[in-house]
């Protein structure tokens, strides 16, 4: 996996001295993230960035909004160049953070983790996705990134449409399918979906997790055995069945989850949308014509989700101390409370300080999921390139070009090849 050479670290210039008093050298602090401006994370981090600037008026703060896809496709190349920022948000998981960590492109943060007191804020469960071994597999090795929030996939639902059609929040898969059938009988396409980005694979993995136990999830995410495709085959058959029954529109293959399928839900056209908590800010600000809420998809234990993406410090960062200071601010109680009160899933907020109804609900739902050890992580993490493969294969299920058996065969070979290479 170590296909890129390690960055060379150039020697930094010493601080200029004038009249015996050290003066800070003018410099630029570069920071990237891909959370959209209306998300609680982005709003809270922007505030933290303002605090950093106020503390260092001599520093030019250069923030750039990137996209998830940009870093998903070109992260290694960016980090292995002189274009890398001082700190950035990076997707966690073997195929992303694990890959660039194994290539030596990130700064180990173990010393900072203890000296700055991050170990008093984040526990072992919160940092399992911060550690990667020499092969890029999560769970052990040096700490290479710090989460400042959490996230999970749930079912966003239109309370008004549920009540008008006599549908109750389902607690089993059978009840969920009965709800889909009820809406379809009323002439309503019940489930909004977009397969152009991660939305389709989140539905796929959610359905797979209805058939998964501890052994399967641990084996799958840890590349501990050849892929047992049974849960994915079950999920693929469900998706094909739901498309045939009109529960999912075939037009989903032309939509993204963000900027497409989410709009069908927020406009009141679709009663349900299965997606992540990154939609909270958008829905809280844009939905004015109906009441909405969330429920966790009925599975035996596992839910798609994890601690949030990581703030990582590239090996070639020129301002590592400022990067660490920004992480301090993002993890601080004030910023965590701010994030929760904006409706986010803060990882270290004071529950007593969270007054926002949406923030309280997300803290409660996440606590219930994580409290039972039910974070099932994400389907694209185990294998580099799996993100694009799952998009293509799931799109094939919806448009009818791929059968469930073909789907299972298509995802098994690259997984088994990666597993055998460990």
């Amino acid at each position: 996996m170590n296909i890129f050479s390690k960055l060379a670290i150039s020697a930094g210039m010493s601080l200029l001295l004038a009249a015996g008093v050290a003066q800070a050298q003018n410099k630029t602090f570069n920071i990237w993230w891909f959370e959209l401006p209306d998300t609680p994370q982005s709003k809270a981090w922007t505030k933290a960035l303002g605090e950093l600037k106020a503390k260092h008026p001599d520093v030019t703060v250069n923030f750039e909004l990137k996209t998830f896809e940009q870093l998903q496709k070109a992260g290694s190349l960016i980090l292995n160049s002189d274009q890398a920022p001082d700190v950035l948000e990076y997707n966690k998981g073997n195929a992303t953070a694990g890959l660039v960590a194994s290539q030596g492109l990130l700064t180990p943060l173990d010393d900072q983790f203890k000296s700055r007191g991050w170990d008093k804020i984040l526990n072992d469960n919160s940092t399992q996705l911060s550690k990667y071994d020499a092969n890029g597999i999560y769970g052990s090795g040096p700490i290479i990134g710090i989460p400042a929030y959490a996230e999970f996939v749930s079912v966003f639902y239109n309370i008004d449409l549920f009540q008008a059609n006599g549908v109750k929040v389902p607690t089993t898969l059978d009840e969920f399918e009965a709800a889909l059938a009820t809406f379809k009988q009323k002439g309503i396409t019940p489930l909004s979906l977009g397969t152009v980005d991660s939305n389709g694979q989140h539905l796929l993995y959610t359905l797979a997790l209805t058939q998964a136990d501890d052994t399967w999830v641990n084996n799958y995410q840890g590349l501990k055995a050849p892929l047992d495709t049974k849960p994915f085959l079950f999920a693929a058959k469900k998706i094909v069945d739901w498309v045939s029954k009109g529960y999912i529109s075939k037009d989903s293959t032309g939509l993204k989850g963000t900027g497409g399928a989410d709009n069908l839900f927020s406009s009141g056209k679709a009663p349900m949308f299965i997606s992540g908590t990154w939609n909270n800010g958008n829905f809280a600000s844009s939905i004015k014509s109906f009441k909405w809420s969330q429920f966790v998809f009925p599975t035996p234990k596992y839910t798609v989700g994890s601690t949030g993406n990581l703030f990582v410090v590239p090996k070639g960062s020129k301002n590592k101390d400022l990067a660490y200071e920004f992480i301090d601010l993002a993890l601080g109680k004030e910023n965590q409370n701010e994030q929760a009160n904006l409706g986010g899933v803060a990882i270290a907020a004071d529950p007593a300080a969270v007054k926002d109804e949406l923030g309280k609900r997300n803290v409660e739902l996440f606590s219930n999921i994580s409290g039972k050890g039910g974070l099932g992580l994400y389907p694209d993490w185990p294998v580099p390139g799996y993100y694009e493969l799952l998009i293509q294969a799931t799109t094939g299920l919806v448009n009818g070009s791929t059968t469930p058996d073909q789907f299972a065969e298509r995802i098994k070979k690259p997984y088994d090849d990666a597993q055998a290479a460990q």
Side-chain angles (χ1 to χ4, degrees), residues 289-317:
S289 61
F290 62 88
K291 292 182 293 184
W292 64 278
S293 189
Q294 301 154 263
F295 63 87
V296 175
F297 193 95
T299 63
K301 178 179 179 180
Y302 286 99
T303 295
V304 184
S306 71
T307 50
N309 293 311
L310 305 173
F311 279 120
V312 300
V313 180
K315 197 74 172 179
S317 169

Side-chain angles (χ1 to χ4, degrees), residues 167-182 207 210-211 234 238 241-242 245 247 272 297-299:
V167 177
K168 296 181 179 180
V169 172
T171 58
T172 67
L173 179 57
D174 287 344
E175 289 179 1
F176 187 85
E177 291 190 285
L180 295 175
T182 297
L207 290 168
T210 67
Q211 310 298 304
F234 173 88
K238 281 294 181 188
D241 180 52
W242 289 2
K245 291 177 176 176
Y247 300 163
M272 286 184 281
F297 193 95
T299 63

Side-chain angles (χ1 to χ4, degrees), residues 337-380:
N337 292 342
E338 174 85 6
Q339 190 178 146
N341 277 309
L342 289 166
V345 191
I347 203 168
D350 177 4
V354 181
K355 307 302 181 183
D356 178 76
E357 181 181 346
L358 178 56
K360 281 183 176 293
R361 181 169 74 230
N362 278 287
V363 168
E364 179 181 341
L365 291 175
F366 183 77
S367 295
N368 290 340
I369 295 167
S370 60
K372 64 180 180 181
L375 292 172
L377 310 185
Y378 290 85
D380 59 301

Side-chain angles (χ1 to χ4, degrees), residues 93-332:
N94 300 344
T96 45
L99 176 62
V100 294
S102 73
Q103 295 166 354
L105 301 178
L106 302 177
T107 303
L109 301 174
D110 299 78
D111 290 344
Q112 302 299 323
F113 190 74
K114 292 183 178 180
S115 66
R116 291 179 174 269
W118 299 342
D119 59 335
K120 304 296 191 300
I121 302 171
L122 303 173
N123 58 29
D124 289 342
N125 288 332
S126 301
T127 56
Q128 64 171 334
L129 297 168
S130 297
K131 305 172 185 176
Y132 296 86
D133 64 19
N135 292 317
I137 305 300
Y138 81 95
S140 64
I143 294 173
I144 55 83
I146 300 296
Y149 69 104
E151 61 186 29
F152 59 91
V153 169
S154 65
V155 184
F156 293 93
Y157 74 104
N158 184 320
I159 295 175
D160 294 353
L161 281 178
F162 267 56
Q163 292 178 344
N165 292 280
V167 177
K168 296 181 179 180
V169 172
T171 58
T172 67
L173 179 57
D174 287 344
E175 289 179 1
F176 187 85
E177 291 190 285
L180 295 175
T182 297
F183 282 117
K184 185 58 183 175
Q185 289 166 5
K186 300 292 182 68
I188 302 170
T189 302
L191 192 59
S192 178
L193 183 72
T195 70
V196 178
D197 57 14
S198 61
N199 187 222
Q201 57 186 270
H202 289 164
L203 172 63
L204 174 86
Y205 194 46
T206 292
L207 290 168
L209 290 176
T210 67
Q211 310 298 304
D213 58 15
D214 293 349
T215 299
W216 188 88
V217 171
N218 290 332
N219 284 348
Y220 177 71
Q221 292 293 345
L223 286 171
K224 295 179 180 178
L227 179 60
D228 172 6
T229 61
K230 293 186 186 67
F232 278 121
L233 184 60
F234 173 88
K237 288 179 178 178
K238 281 294 181 188
I239 289 177
V240 170
D241 180 52
W242 289 2
V243 171
S244 71
K245 291 177 176 176
Y247 300 163
I248 297 171
S249 171
K250 288 187 177 180
D251 293 340
S252 301
T253 58
L255 295 177
K256 288 186 175 183
T258 301
D262 56 344
N263 292 335
L264 291 177
F265 175 77
S266 62
S267 65
K269 295 178 181 178
M272 286 184 281
F273 177 51
I274 298 176
S275 188
T277 45
W278 46 87
N279 293 281
N280 285 334
N282 173 34
F283 290 164
S285 62
S286 66
I287 299 177
K288 305 299 182 185
S289 61
F290 62 88
K291 292 182 293 184
W292 64 278
S293 189
Q294 301 154 263
F295 63 87
V296 175
F297 193 95
T299 63
K301 178 179 179 180
Y302 286 99
T303 295
V304 184
S306 71
T307 50
N309 293 311
L310 305 173
F311 279 120
V312 300
V313 180
K315 197 74 172 179
S317 169
K318 300 177 180 64
N319 297 296
K320 292 181 179 178
D321 285 343
L322 288 174
Y324 305 147
E325 190 173 343
F326 173 79
I327 295 173
D328 283 338
L329 292 168
L331 277 182

